[in-house]
């Protein structure tokens, strides 16, 4: 069992930055690849970024590549998402999740989820 808690969301103007955190407790954090997903009103949950258990390998959705950076600190059982150059279309609830098996791009491949944190980008 893994418990995940996101923090760091808020309201920011377009072009601004936010840093999301995902604190994990429970089973060995470093054994899990982790991911960030987001869901805007009326839309499906979509992949944002993922990171391997060691932190060496990362993947990004094309829509955030070059603007967002995923990282993790296994000594603190915490994952981060640094979001720069934010756009109004980045507005969504952001979720962190622990990967179980299958494609890292699919929400169904993750079996533990946080409660989400709201990110709102004003134009």
């Amino acid at each position: 069992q893994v418990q995940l808690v996101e923090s760091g969301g808020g309201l920011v103007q377009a072009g601004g930055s936010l840093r999301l955190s995902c604190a994990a407790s429970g089973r060995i954090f470093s054994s899990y690849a982790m991911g960030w997903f987001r869901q805007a009103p009326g839309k499906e949950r979509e992949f944002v970024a993922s990171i391997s258990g060691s932190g060496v390998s990362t993947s990004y959705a094309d829509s955030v590549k070059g603007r967002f950076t995923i990282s993790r600190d296994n000594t603190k059982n915490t994952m981060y998402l640094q979001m720069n150059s934010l756009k109004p279309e980045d507005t969504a609830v952001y979720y962190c999740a622990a990967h179980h098996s299958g494609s890292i791009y699919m929400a169904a491949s993750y079996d533990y989820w946080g409660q989400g944190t709201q990110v709102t980008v004003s134009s």
Side-chain angles (χ1 to χ4, degrees), residues 69-122:
T69 302
I70 189 171
S71 62
R72 66 191 297 165
D73 184 340
N74 287 342
T75 66
K76 296 181 179 180
N77 283 5
T78 304
M79 176 178 68
Y80 306 97
L81 185 68
Q82 178 66 44
M83 305 186 295
N84 298 329
S85 302
L86 282 161
K87 304 175 181 180
E89 51 264 43
D90 294 318
T91 295
V93 177
Y94 283 70
Y95 299 90
C96 67
H99 182 257
H100 177 247
S101 63
S103 170
I104 58 170
Y105 302 106
M106 303 294 292
S109 300
Y110 295 74
D111 55 0
Y112 298 110
W113 292 82
Q115 83 289 349
T117 185
Q118 177 70 48
V119 171
T120 303
V121 184
S122 64

Side-chain angles (χ1 to χ4, degrees), residues 9 31 43 49 52 54 100 109 119:
S31 66
K43 295 188 176 182
S52 62
S54 65
H100 177 247
S109 300
V119 171

